[in-house]
Amino acid sequence: MWRLFPQKNKYVQEEAEFHFDPAGNIPKHVAIIMDGNGRWAQNRRLPRIAGHQEGMETVKTVTKHASKIGIKVLTLYAFSTENWKRPTEEVNFLMQLPVDFFDKFVPELIKENVKVHVMGYTEFLPAHTQDAVKRAIEQTKNNTGMVLNFALNYGSRAELVTATQAIVKKAQAEGVAAETIDESMIADHLMTGFLPVDLRDPELLIRTSGEERISNFLLWQIAYSELFFTDALWPDFNGELLEMAVASFQNRNRRFGGLNLPVADEHQVTE
Ligand code: FPP
């Protein structure tokens, strides 16, 4: 784990960690809770929005690096349904960020073959933000590489409520029996339903800034995700730390509730 030494204002590796293997198992879907912009700015006696501005630069760096190492879907928590509670000035700035980001960065996204998607209650975003989002989706729609999926005005509980409402409506209209409602039907109705089935659930969830909570993000989809928490504040996150998170993932023993027995033991069980 990387620890922040505030006096030196830098990250040092505290203990021997695993090495990133570019030819090893790369998580297909990585989701990130980008936290710590405000503290990054505060540490520099800057206004909070300076942290978000720098955070946007990190989004560019991390997007390019994620695409380079072969991640197929990168989902970034950019604005939650709860973030409206912040001061108007900050909310306005956060609503302008996608406009600036896409206006400047789309040519590079096209060059990198990255396809933009946005999930969330986008209809409640200001018109200029909605327009920027629609434009970026349109401009990158023919790209076939990594999906850059922004969660914008997203909340997982709201997503589950919306999915449940849609399923109940369908059941009422088509006379679907309650017993036929299964996990795949629910997954189809979530905001990750646009992705191919094997890419919907993040294999790795990263949260920056030392906070270790999920904050209403992808509650259904992270049922079996590996979690990686780092003290690095989001503006300080980079390709190297992404590789460290992936290296940690590569050394996890994922059992999905089953057993991962050595070959000899496996024989004992089956015989
Ligand atoms: C959390 O940090 C961060 C956010 C609520 C906003 C995240 C947005 C970005 C990183 C930029 C997004 C870029 C695009 C292109 C949409 P915080 O403000 O809660 O930090 P704190 O916990 O230190 O106060």
Side-chain angles (χ1 to χ4, degrees):
M1 178 64 82
W2 290 62
R3 295 280 160 199
L4 178 65
F5 285 74
Q7 308 92 322
K8 296 179 192 156
N9 201 23
K10 68 172 191 177
Y11 302 97
V12 294
Q13 203 166 347
E14 205 176 53
E15 59 197 47
E17 270 289 348
F18 309 109
H19 287 289
F20 168 65
D21 178 4
N25 183 20
I26 303 291
K28 292 193 278 289
H29 183 167
V30 175
I32 309 184
I33 302 176
M34 310 180 287
D35 196 10
N37 292 349
R39 274 163 285 168
W40 182 92
Q42 218 170 7
N43 291 344
R44 288 163 178 74
R45 300 182 196 284
L46 294 169
R48 291 178 55 80
I49 56 171
H52 297 313
Q53 183 73 37
E54 194 61 26
M56 184 181 83
E57 296 305 319
T58 306
V59 170
K60 294 179 188 171
T61 311
V62 170
T63 298
K64 283 195 273 188
H65 206 83
S67 161
K68 187 174 133 202
I69 65 172
I71 288 166
K72 306 259 181 263
V73 182
L74 179 66
T75 297
L76 301 177
Y77 205 4
F79 193 89
S80 78
T81 44
E82 287 72 37
N83 286 151
W84 297 106
K85 294 176 199 154
R86 296 186 176 213
T88 314
E89 191 207 0
E90 185 171 342
V91 169
N92 289 345
F93 190 84
L94 286 169
M95 288 300 139
Q96 179 60 30
L97 272 187
V99 182
D100 297 346
F101 177 83
F102 290 131
D103 280 355
K104 290 195 196 105
F105 198 51
V106 159
E108 210 159 333
L109 291 175
I110 293 171
K111 205 173 91 200
E112 300 277 335
N113 198 22
V114 170
K115 185 173 183 155
V116 173
H117 183 87
V118 176
M119 64 174 200
Y121 297 91
T122 51
E123 64 274 27
F124 297 110
L125 300 175
H128 65 290
T129 316
Q130 287 193 42
D131 291 346
V133 160
K134 281 185 201 145
R135 241 186 347 262
I137 293 172
E138 177 62 27
Q139 289 167 323
T140 61
K141 70 173 183 210
N142 295 323
N143 292 353
T144 53
M146 188 181 82
V147 174
L148 174 59
N149 181 31
F150 282 103
L152 213 47
N153 198 21
Y154 171 85
S156 189
R157 286 187 172 182
E159 174 191 37
L160 287 162
V161 170
T162 303
T164 308
Q165 288 171 343
I167 292 170
V168 170
K169 272 187 201 152
K170 194 169 155 186
Q172 285 169 341
E174 298 171 18
V176 177
E179 299 72 40
T180 62
I181 297 170
D182 58 10
E183 290 189 9
S184 72
M185 189 186 287
I186 293 174
D188 285 346
H189 285 82
L190 298 178
M191 291 177 182
T192 39
F194 76 97
L195 288 164
V197 173
D198 65 321
L199 293 181
R200 287 179 182 171
D201 297 344
E203 288 182 282
L204 174 64
L205 171 73
I206 299 169
R207 183 172 188 144
T208 59
S209 91
E211 308 292 348
E212 298 185 356
R213 53 178 177 271
I214 301 303
S215 300
N216 202 15
F217 192 42
L218 302 173
L219 298 178
W220 172 280
Q221 296 90 334
I222 60 163
Y224 287 102
S225 303
E226 295 296 328
L227 309 181
F228 182 87
F229 299 103
T230 170
D231 287 347
L233 304 173
W234 176 250
D236 291 327
F237 197 77
N238 54 27
E240 199 188 346
L241 284 169
L242 177 67
E243 286 186 6
M244 177 173 279
V246 172
S248 169
F249 169 85
Q250 289 175 331
N251 281 277
R252 308 273 177 103
N253 181 6
R254 307 190 77 206
R255 293 190 298 276
F256 301 97
L259 296 176
N260 226 349
L261 298 170
V263 178
D265 290 342
E266 237 162 24
H267 282 293
Q268 277 173 9
V269 170
T270 48
E271 274 168 13

